[in-house]
Amino acid sequence: MTTTIGSTLAGLKSKMETREARIGIVGMGYVGLPLALLFSGERFRVTGFDIEAAKVSTLNGGGSYIVRILPAEIREAQKAGFRATADYSEIAQMDAVIICVPTPLNEYHEPDLSYVTGTVKSIAPHIHKGQLIVLESTTYPGTTEEVVVPLLESGNPQGLKVARAEGENGVYVAFSPEREDPGNDTVARHDIPKVVGGCSPFAAELAGAMYSSIFRRVVPVSSPSAAEMTKLLENIYRCVNIALVNELKQLCLRMDIDIHEVIDAAKTKPFGFQAFYPGPGLGGHCIPIDPFYLSWKARQFDFRTRFIELAGEVNVAMPYFVIDQIAAGLNEHAKSIKGSKVLVLGLAYKRDIDDLRESPSLTIIELLREKGAIVAYNDPFFAKVGRGRHYDLNMSNTPLDNIGDFDAVVIVTDHTAYDYKAIVEQSKLVIDTRNATKGIQSEKIVRC
Ligand SMILES: NC(=O)c1ccc[n+]([C@@H]2O[C@H](COP(=O)([O-])OP(=O)(O)OC[C@H]3O[C@@H](n4cnc5c(N)ncnc54)[C@H](O)[C@@H]3O)[C@@H](O)[C@H]2O)c1
């Protein structure tokens, strides 16, 4: 065997540069599918792996199941060789494999790495020497080295190891966090710098070469753990700051001060302040979940992450605060929640997206139902809502034709498609948790 790791690396790097490298992306969800399209846009031949047969057949039929991704974009990618499969044996044909599967919490609020471990066990038998494997799923520091590497090494019949030093043949492994902000079109995806930490300098270099073909800037860090921690720092920073404004909002309401006016004034400071906005509670796959990956890991080091716990406490309480505000608003009309007709506007966890994971709307609807309200929802992105990991609603979208029939309309998600002036005019009572009615003067509005 004459191949040295140096020549293997150079060969792979050159395949990246010439776009001959075949890229496999595991998990065709909100992260993996857009990533596949970015690589396809750069003329890479991409194969998307997913265990959901319906997703595989939709993609192969030139369709899309994510609202902001048009079928035309899938068909364009197909011209560059994009296709989807559920057959892991095709991993063997890939030069690089990027893992973008879910990392939720289990019922005890602990990391559920079952999707990551399931994926790694499935791909391990098919990996080959010189292949690059990158984990992108958000997770606690140590996952790549402590979970992914051992499963890759024990799961392949060739006895392949993760390459650590020059001259050592094996697979290259790295972690690179995803930084997408769905619905935010102010920064193009390729302008978001890509952080990469490799299990060896070679792995980092190779992953950097791959990502620099689609991202303008790659930021190397010294290890996968540093890259894993970087992602968590970013999300914990958001979580803690949102909790801070959520708490201050409640104080401002008591003091009759408009928190939004205060934030707008504070953000004119050209340094040392970044604006975060209060809301009805945290939603999405990242901010309500990721911080707990770190608190869980910290326990292994006899360490309590008090900021994370406090922020969690404040943010988790927000939907309950909204319920109190609805009760107070109805009370002014001599009504109770029990028996009232309540319309929830917006199911998605944030504006203009079709994702309702961990959305505070779901908790608010469940709490209202528990208290005896007759609840309906409107959301242009969801014709129906059935059952998820943490909810079972079984509801259909209610058109906005007769909102005057409802005792209260609760703005939980401030989609831009809504005509807030008309909504206020036609409603009896509006509970606005997002400052969506800013500038509209009406006694019917409860801002909270
Ligand atoms: N959505 C975001 O905005 C965002 C942003 C940054 C980071 N992340 C992180 O990226 C990761 C993926 O998130 P997402 O939003 O894309 O999740 P998602 O649920 O939208 O997509 C995950 C996909 O993986 C598939 N899958 C699950 N197990 C599989 C397996 N064993 N083999 C093949 N496919 C499998 C699922 O069918 C699904 O299509 C998570 O760790 C998340 O925290 C998400």
Side-chain angles (χ1 to χ4, degrees):
M1 174 61 64
T2 52
T3 317
T4 65
I5 196 155
S7 63
T8 311
L9 187 68
L12 255 178
K13 277 180 79 174
S14 121
K15 272 178 125 180
M16 297 287 178
E17 277 153 24
T18 57
R19 309 300 193 243
E20 283 166 79
R22 290 199 54 187
I23 312 279
I25 300 183
V26 186
M28 289 285 92
Y30 289 94
V31 167
L33 183 55
L35 189 64
L37 298 183
L38 273 185
F39 277 110
S40 298
E42 281 300 322
R43 296 176 287 106
F44 282 97
R45 198 167 143 208
V46 181
T47 304
F49 295 80
D50 207 289
I51 43 171
E52 265 190 52
K55 287 188 175 171
V56 170
S57 69
T58 302
L59 293 175
N60 287 338
S64 170
Y65 39 80
I66 295 180
V67 168
R68 68 199 148 83
I69 295 178
L70 300 174
E73 294 176 68
I74 306 291
R75 291 196 292 272
E76 197 54 38
Q78 284 175 326
K79 288 185 199 157
F82 171 68
R83 51 180 288 280
T85 182
D87 179 1
Y88 279 109
S89 69
E90 293 191 33
I91 290 287
Q93 299 158 31
M94 303 298 132
D95 295 292
V97 178
I98 305 172
I99 301 169
C100 308
V101 295
T103 42
L105 294 171
N106 67 17
E107 57 183 310
Y108 306 109
H109 251 60
E110 292 166 344
D112 173 2
L113 280 187
S114 59
Y115 296 93
V116 173
T117 55
T119 298
V120 178
K121 283 181 193 161
S122 303
I123 67 172
H126 310 290
I127 58 175
H128 61 75
K129 198 171 70 182
Q131 201 172 31
L132 172 68
I133 317 277
V134 185
L135 178 65
E136 283 212 11
S137 303
T138 308
T139 185
Y140 58 78
T143 307
T144 305
E145 285 285 11
E146 295 161 16
V147 179
V148 174
V149 167
L151 286 175
L152 280 175
E153 292 186 339
S154 62
N156 74 88
Q158 314 94 295
L160 279 173
K161 297 285 173 213
V162 169
R164 303 269 176 191
E166 195 153 16
E168 208 176 78
N169 280 320
V171 287
Y172 307 103
V173 176
F175 181 84
S176 179
E178 167 52 50
R179 280 174 154 172
E180 206 203 3
D181 184 13
N184 179 353
D185 297 327
T186 58
V187 190
R189 190 99 190 272
H190 58 250
D191 282 332
I192 303 173
K194 193 81 172 118
V195 173
V196 173
C199 289
S200 64
F202 309 105
E205 202 180 326
L206 186 55
M210 175 178 74
Y211 284 122
S212 59
S213 59
I214 52 167
F215 293 103
R216 282 193 212 285
R217 190 171 160 220
V218 170
V219 182
V221 291
S222 62
S223 64
S225 292
E228 289 157 341
M229 190 65 156
T230 302
K231 173 71 184 174
L232 292 184
L233 170 63
E234 292 166 8
N235 282 354
I236 291 162
Y237 172 78
R238 276 187 67 72
C239 179
V240 167
N241 279 289
I242 292 168
L244 176 67
V245 286
N246 275 336
E247 188 175 72
L248 292 184
K249 167 175 84 171
Q250 295 173 61
L251 174 63
C252 280
L253 277 171
R254 283 199 199 177
M255 297 174 79
D256 202 19
I257 297 169
D258 178 353
I259 182 76
H260 294 279
E261 183 188 359
V262 173
I263 294 169
D264 286 347
K267 78 179 187 193
T268 60
K269 188 180 177 186
F271 46 84
F273 181 83
Q274 193 189 344
F276 287 87
Y277 296 94
L282 294 181
H285 191 281
C286 298
I287 312 295
I289 291 173
D290 303 347
F292 295 103
Y293 268 67
L294 190 62
S295 5
W296 177 84
K297 187 66 178 174
R299 274 183 243 140
Q300 202 179 312
F301 295 84
D302 283 341
F303 195 93
R304 264 187 68 205
T305 49
R306 287 171 294 162
F307 272 100
I308 295 175
E309 283 162 35
L310 180 59
E313 197 180 305
V314 173
N315 289 329
V316 165
M318 291 315 292
Y320 297 85
F321 169 77
V322 173
I323 297 294
D324 290 346
Q325 298 297 307
I326 299 170
L330 286 168
N331 190 51
E332 289 294 313
H333 292 242
K335 291 175 187 166
S336 62
I337 289 182
K338 193 179 178 91
S340 283
K341 286 180 75 182
V342 181
L343 178 67
V344 169
L345 284 192
L347 280 187
Y349 76 83
K350 71 174 188 176
R351 181 194 300 162
D352 298 343
I353 64 164
D354 61 332
D355 189 348
L356 49 72
R357 288 177 291 178
E358 314 293 324
S359 174
S361 303
L362 304 168
T363 313
I364 289 169
I365 290 174
E366 281 182 337
L367 290 172
L368 284 169
R369 279 180 165 179
E370 270 169 39
K371 291 188 182 303
I374 302 141
V375 191
Y377 82 85
N378 175 278
D379 191 311
F381 292 94
F382 299 98
K384 280 187 173 24
V385 56
R387 231 181 133 159
R389 273 170 73 90
H390 304 297
Y391 59 88
D392 186 5
L393 296 184
N394 191 22
M395 297 166 84
S396 301
N397 186 47
T398 299
L400 291 181
D401 310 334
N402 300 309
I403 55 175
D405 291 350
F406 289 90
D407 299 296
V409 173
V410 189
I411 302 169
V412 184
T413 315
D414 50 345
H415 290 310
T416 44
Y418 289 136
D419 178 347
Y420 293 103
K421 198 157 175 283
I423 286 167
V424 172
E425 275 165 14
Q426 291 159 28
S427 304
K428 290 178 186 146
L429 168 68
V430 176
I431 315 291
D432 180 4
T433 70
R434 295 280 191 180
N435 201 28
T437 58
K438 181 182 175 183
I440 302 172
Q441 300 301 326
S442 170
E443 301 232 315
K444 296 180 201 170
I445 305 171
V446 173
R447 298 177 211 273
C448 64

